Amino acid sequence: MKQNQKDRYARHIRLSQIGEKGQQAILDASILVVGVGGLGSPAAMYLAAGGVGKLILNDFDIVETSNLQRQIIHHNHSVGENKVDSGQQTLEMLNPETKVEVIPYQLEGDELKQTIESVDMVLDCSDNYPTRFEVNRYCVETGTILVSGAAIRLEGQIMNYQPATNSACYQCLYSQAYESEESCEVEGVLGPVVGVIGTLQALQALLILAGLGEELVNRLLMFDAQGMHWQGVTLPKNPNCPVCSGH
Amino acid sequence: MNVSIELYASLMKHLPPGKSRFRRDLKVDDGLILNRLIEQFHIKPEEAHLVLINGHYIDAEERDDRKLAAGDVVSIWPPVAGG
Ligand SMILES: [Zn+2]
């Protein structure tokens, strides 16, 4: 590790659980962030600040004024830009050492699968079930780690899929029957709620990269912001899961 | 027997008037089936996304057979997909 990296990440390295070895794993990692909105904003910013080697940002949306109350990677002057371009600019200001690539259209099918196969980990920061199901399926098929967060109104959830441990996948938790049209546009969302969940996604990502993912296997967390209630539960792998039962 | 139900986040609207924002203590028939309790609160199966008894995950397929025991705390969370 170069001296400037030792300086920059000194507070990580100082942690006995991370050390130079953990930081090097973070520096060597590549992560696909699906969705550069409320969850993806803090997630991508912490990942870049933390030194993740390469981030691929994927989003087909344009920054709108109504995004700015929570999507803190975007700025007032970003309105009208592609979210991925605006996100890339912010990340480059935060940490020019992190290589940022952008995909400004909806990734799906083979291209999504190939992109997932090319990275070490995926952060699902999207806002709809069809994307979540497809991302999960390709993560299972390609054996790629997935950290999946969701939030709306005053509530949130986070889980992860770690293929090396034969853990439960997203579809063990959500059967394909879910097709809710709920959106933050219709339902509303309090800004820091997505911030909390997106930040936890970055935290789980760094823990897993640094080799500290063991305690997170099959761990599902639910958050009720109004009462500051957290409930953590062990999510068992569904032996009949249509996605992961054969893997 | 006495059991408690906790409805979180957007499910709270199903709670009858009461003191706690999210929890009610109830008297129910001995051996009441979990899904019958959920129905009493007019929660649709797809809304009762995550169901826990005393903090343990109960699979959707188990809910029609699972009998409640005195003192059980049933916690229910809705699905979330936004971001
Ligand atoms: Zn599964």
Side-chain angles (χ1 to χ4, degrees):
Chain A
M1 194 179 296
K2 289 179 271 177
Q3 188 57 46
N4 70 317
Q5 293 175 317
K6 286 184 186 173
D7 295 340
R8 185 166 193 125
Y9 308 112
R11 301 297 182 275
H12 277 174
I13 294 166
R14 183 81 185 154
L15 292 165
S16 61
Q17 299 94 327
I18 305 284
E20 264 195 49
K21 190 162 163 266
Q23 186 61 43
Q24 191 60 54
I26 293 168
L27 293 170
D28 293 339
S30 56
I31 298 182
L32 168 66
V33 179
V34 181
V36 190
L39 298 168
S41 286
M45 290 167 78
Y46 270 115
L47 293 176
V52 169
K54 182 169 113 174
L55 293 174
I56 304 177
L57 304 181
N58 174 222
D59 202 312
F60 57 86
D61 259 347
I62 305 277
V63 180
E64 295 176 34
T65 309
S66 62
N67 300 146
L68 299 176
Q69 137 271 22
R70 66 192 185 285
Q71 300 184 14
I72 57 172
I73 202 169
H74 310 301
H75 299 83
N76 205 48
H77 64 73
S78 325
V79 171
E81 287 178 30
N82 285 331
K83 284 187 178 176
V84 291
D85 294 334
S86 159
Q88 184 181 35
Q89 288 166 28
T90 301
L91 299 183
E92 281 172 355
M93 281 193 283
L94 258 177
N95 189 352
E97 285 207 341
T98 293
K99 190 174 170 211
V100 182
E101 293 179 4
V102 300
I103 303 176
Y105 51 87
Q106 177 139 30
L107 265 184
E108 49 195 350
D110 282 347
E111 193 182 3
L112 175 60
K113 185 175 175 178
Q114 282 158 16
T115 308
I116 288 175
E117 204 159 20
S118 75
V119 294
D120 299 305
M121 183 184 291
V122 178
L123 257 61
D124 191 343
C125 302
S126 70
D127 62 359
N128 65 86
Y129 287 112
T131 299
R132 290 174 181 281
F133 290 139
E134 199 181 15
V135 166
N136 176 67
R137 189 168 72 246
Y138 291 140
C139 282
V140 172
E141 284 180 12
T142 59
T144 308
I145 299 163
L146 170 65
V147 180
S148 181
I152 197 166
R153 296 177 290 257
L154 292 163
E155 62 216 59
Q157 287 182 5
I158 176 166
M159 65 163 295
N160 63 84
Y161 166 68
Q162 298 186 57
T165 66
N166 198 30
S167 71
C169 79
Y170 182 75
Q171 198 120 31
C172 292
L173 175 64
Y174 280 92
S175 77
Q176 194 90 49
Y178 281 97
E179 48 186 30
S180 155
E181 298 288 303
E182 280 186 348
S183 69
C184 291
E185 187 181 344
V186 175
E187 298 287 322
V189 59
L190 195 59
V193 175
V194 277
V196 165
I197 300 296
T199 301
L200 279 184
Q201 287 182 267
L203 175 55
Q204 291 202 356
L206 295 182
L207 287 170
I208 293 169
L209 289 175
L212 301 170
E214 199 180 330
E215 284 181 56
L216 307 178
V217 173
N218 288 353
R219 183 105 177 115
L220 167 68
L221 273 178
M222 283 90 64
F223 179 43
D224 174 318
Q226 192 175 341
M228 290 285 147
H229 289 285
W230 285 97
Q231 191 149 31
V233 63
T234 302
L235 175 72
K237 189 177 172 84
N238 176 358
N240 302 316
C241 174
V243 173
C244 74
S245 58
H247 288 264
Chain B
M1 64 177 185
N2 294 309
V3 299
S4 300
I5 188 163
E6 297 178 344
L7 302 183
Y8 286 104
S10 56
L11 295 178
M12 286 175 190
K13 60 178 187 263
H14 294 287
L15 284 173
K19 227 172 163 183
S20 162
R21 197 173 60 88
F22 62 95
R23 181 179 167 128
R24 296 289 178 271
D25 300 319
L26 314 162
K27 249 193 167 46
V28 299
D29 294 340
D30 285 3
L32 180 70
I33 296 286
L34 175 57
N35 257 353
R36 303 294 87 75
L37 177 73
I38 295 172
E39 286 160 9
Q40 282 179 22
F41 284 84
H42 307 289
I43 302 168
K44 291 182 223 140
E46 66 270 22
E47 286 180 303
H49 173 57
L50 215 84
V51 178
L52 314 176
I53 295 182
N54 305 326
H56 292 282
Y57 177 80
I58 309 294
D59 191 82
E61 286 150 30
E62 281 176 66
R63 296 177 200 165
D64 250 335
D65 305 316
R66 177 65 182 252
K67 286 181 178 159
L68 297 176
D72 275 351
V73 178
V74 177
S75 311
I76 308 180
W77 293 80
V80 188

mmCIF file of all heavy atoms in Angstrom, chain A residues 136 167-173 237-238 241-245, ligand 1:
data_model
loop_
_atom_site.group_PDB
_atom_site.id
_atom_site.type_symbol
_atom_site.label_atom_id
_atom_site.label_comp_id
_atom_site.label_asym_id
_atom_site.label_seq_id
_atom_site.Cartn_x
_atom_site.Cartn_y
_atom_site.Cartn_z
ATOM 1 N N ASN A 136 -31.088 -9.909 -7.887
ATOM 2 C CA ASN A 136 -30.856 -11.040 -6.985
ATOM 3 C C ASN A 136 -30.588 -12.331 -7.766
ATOM 4 O O ASN A 136 -29.665 -13.082 -7.449
ATOM 5 C CB ASN A 136 -32.075 -11.217 -6.075
ATOM 6 C CG ASN A 136 -31.948 -12.436 -5.180
ATOM 7 O OD1 ASN A 136 -31.111 -12.497 -4.289
ATOM 8 N ND2 ASN A 136 -32.770 -13.453 -5.436
ATOM 9 N N SER A 167 -26.047 -18.668 2.003
ATOM 10 C CA SER A 167 -27.024 -17.920 2.787
ATOM 11 C C SER A 167 -28.331 -17.750 2.014
ATOM 12 O O SER A 167 -28.425 -18.070 0.834
ATOM 13 C CB SER A 167 -26.461 -16.538 3.143
ATOM 14 O OG SER A 167 -26.403 -15.705 2.008
ATOM 15 N N ALA A 168 -29.346 -17.267 2.727
ATOM 16 C CA ALA A 168 -30.625 -16.951 2.096
ATOM 17 C C ALA A 168 -30.417 -15.839 1.072
ATOM 18 O O ALA A 168 -29.505 -15.025 1.205
ATOM 19 C CB ALA A 168 -31.627 -16.503 3.154
ATOM 20 N N CYS A 169 -31.267 -15.817 0.041
ATOM 21 C CA CYS A 169 -31.184 -14.752 -0.956
ATOM 22 C C CYS A 169 -32.406 -13.842 -0.828
ATOM 23 O O CYS A 169 -33.307 -14.102 -0.030
ATOM 24 C CB CYS A 169 -31.063 -15.334 -2.368
ATOM 25 S SG CYS A 169 -32.614 -15.928 -3.086
ATOM 26 N N TYR A 170 -32.439 -12.790 -1.630
ATOM 27 C CA TYR A 170 -33.542 -11.823 -1.548
ATOM 28 C C TYR A 170 -34.886 -12.505 -1.791
ATOM 29 O O TYR A 170 -35.895 -12.172 -1.180
ATOM 30 C CB TYR A 170 -33.314 -10.712 -2.579
ATOM 31 C CG TYR A 170 -34.361 -9.625 -2.549
ATOM 32 C CD1 TYR A 170 -34.371 -8.675 -1.532
ATOM 33 C CD2 TYR A 170 -35.360 -9.565 -3.516
ATOM 34 C CE1 TYR A 170 -35.338 -7.679 -1.493
ATOM 35 C CE2 TYR A 170 -36.322 -8.570 -3.484
ATOM 36 C CZ TYR A 170 -36.310 -7.636 -2.468
ATOM 37 O OH TYR A 170 -37.269 -6.658 -2.429
ATOM 38 N N GLN A 171 -34.866 -13.489 -2.675
ATOM 39 C CA GLN A 171 -36.133 -14.125 -3.021
ATOM 40 C C GLN A 171 -36.584 -15.150 -1.971
ATOM 41 O O GLN A 171 -37.727 -15.579 -1.979
ATOM 42 C CB GLN A 171 -36.035 -14.776 -4.394
ATOM 43 C CG GLN A 171 -37.384 -15.061 -4.992
ATOM 44 C CD GLN A 171 -37.647 -14.381 -6.306
ATOM 45 O OE1 GLN A 171 -36.745 -14.132 -7.101
ATOM 46 N NE2 GLN A 171 -38.894 -14.073 -6.552
ATOM 47 N N CYS A 172 -35.696 -15.519 -1.057
ATOM 48 C CA CYS A 172 -36.136 -16.306 0.111
ATOM 49 C C CYS A 172 -37.045 -15.440 0.992
ATOM 50 O O CYS A 172 -37.869 -15.947 1.736
ATOM 51 C CB CYS A 172 -34.939 -16.761 0.944
ATOM 52 S SG CYS A 172 -33.880 -17.976 0.160
ATOM 53 N N LEU A 173 -36.845 -14.129 0.897
ATOM 54 C CA LEU A 173 -37.591 -13.177 1.732
ATOM 55 C C LEU A 173 -38.816 -12.649 1.003
ATOM 56 O O LEU A 173 -39.866 -12.449 1.610
ATOM 57 C CB LEU A 173 -36.654 -12.019 2.100
ATOM 58 C CG LEU A 173 -37.217 -10.839 2.873
ATOM 59 C CD1 LEU A 173 -37.679 -11.295 4.250
ATOM 60 C CD2 LEU A 173 -36.170 -9.749 3.013
ATOM 61 N N LYS A 237 -32.663 -19.745 4.994
ATOM 62 C CA LYS A 237 -32.733 -20.013 3.551
ATOM 63 C C LYS A 237 -33.994 -20.832 3.283
ATOM 64 O O LYS A 237 -34.273 -21.806 3.994
ATOM 65 C CB LYS A 237 -31.488 -20.818 3.154
ATOM 66 C CG LYS A 237 -31.292 -20.989 1.669
ATOM 67 C CD LYS A 237 -29.989 -21.747 1.435
ATOM 68 C CE LYS A 237 -29.797 -22.138 -0.015
ATOM 69 N NZ LYS A 237 -29.201 -21.050 -0.802
ATOM 70 N N ASN A 238 -34.760 -20.435 2.286
ATOM 71 C CA ASN A 238 -35.977 -21.173 1.936
ATOM 72 C C ASN A 238 -35.587 -22.358 1.049
ATOM 73 O O ASN A 238 -35.098 -22.163 -0.059
ATOM 74 C CB ASN A 238 -36.933 -20.224 1.197
ATOM 75 C CG ASN A 238 -38.184 -20.934 0.709
ATOM 76 O OD1 ASN A 238 -38.336 -22.143 0.880
ATOM 77 N ND2 ASN A 238 -39.069 -20.177 0.091
ATOM 78 N N CYS A 241 -36.872 -22.098 -2.392
ATOM 79 C CA CYS A 241 -36.689 -20.817 -3.090
ATOM 80 C C CYS A 241 -36.461 -21.079 -4.584
ATOM 81 O O CYS A 241 -35.585 -21.862 -4.954
ATOM 82 C CB CYS A 241 -35.492 -20.056 -2.517
ATOM 83 S SG CYS A 241 -35.116 -18.549 -3.439
ATOM 84 N N PRO A 242 -37.259 -20.423 -5.453
ATOM 85 C CA PRO A 242 -37.112 -20.674 -6.893
ATOM 86 C C PRO A 242 -35.771 -20.190 -7.439
ATOM 87 O O PRO A 242 -35.367 -20.596 -8.524
ATOM 88 C CB PRO A 242 -38.278 -19.877 -7.509
ATOM 89 C CG PRO A 242 -38.628 -18.839 -6.499
ATOM 90 C CD PRO A 242 -38.309 -19.435 -5.156
ATOM 91 N N VAL A 243 -35.082 -19.344 -6.705
ATOM 92 C CA VAL A 243 -33.824 -18.781 -7.215
ATOM 93 C C VAL A 243 -32.595 -19.488 -6.653
ATOM 94 O O VAL A 243 -31.708 -19.894 -7.388
ATOM 95 C CB VAL A 243 -33.750 -17.260 -6.926
ATOM 96 C CG1 VAL A 243 -32.388 -16.707 -7.305
ATOM 97 C CG2 VAL A 243 -34.848 -16.536 -7.675
ATOM 98 N N CYS A 244 -32.537 -19.657 -5.337
ATOM 99 C CA CYS A 244 -31.266 -20.114 -4.752
ATOM 100 C C CYS A 244 -31.264 -21.565 -4.309
ATOM 101 O O CYS A 244 -30.215 -22.066 -3.906
ATOM 102 C CB CYS A 244 -30.857 -19.209 -3.583
ATOM 103 S SG CYS A 244 -31.827 -19.443 -2.088
ATOM 104 N N SER A 245 -32.422 -22.258 -4.377
ATOM 105 C CA SER A 245 -32.442 -23.608 -3.803
ATOM 106 C C SER A 245 -31.526 -24.568 -4.558
ATOM 107 O O SER A 245 -31.010 -25.508 -3.980
ATOM 108 C CB SER A 245 -33.872 -24.154 -3.746
ATOM 109 O OG SER A 245 -34.428 -24.172 -5.035
HETATM 110 ZN ZN ZN C 1 -33.403 -17.785 -2.066
#
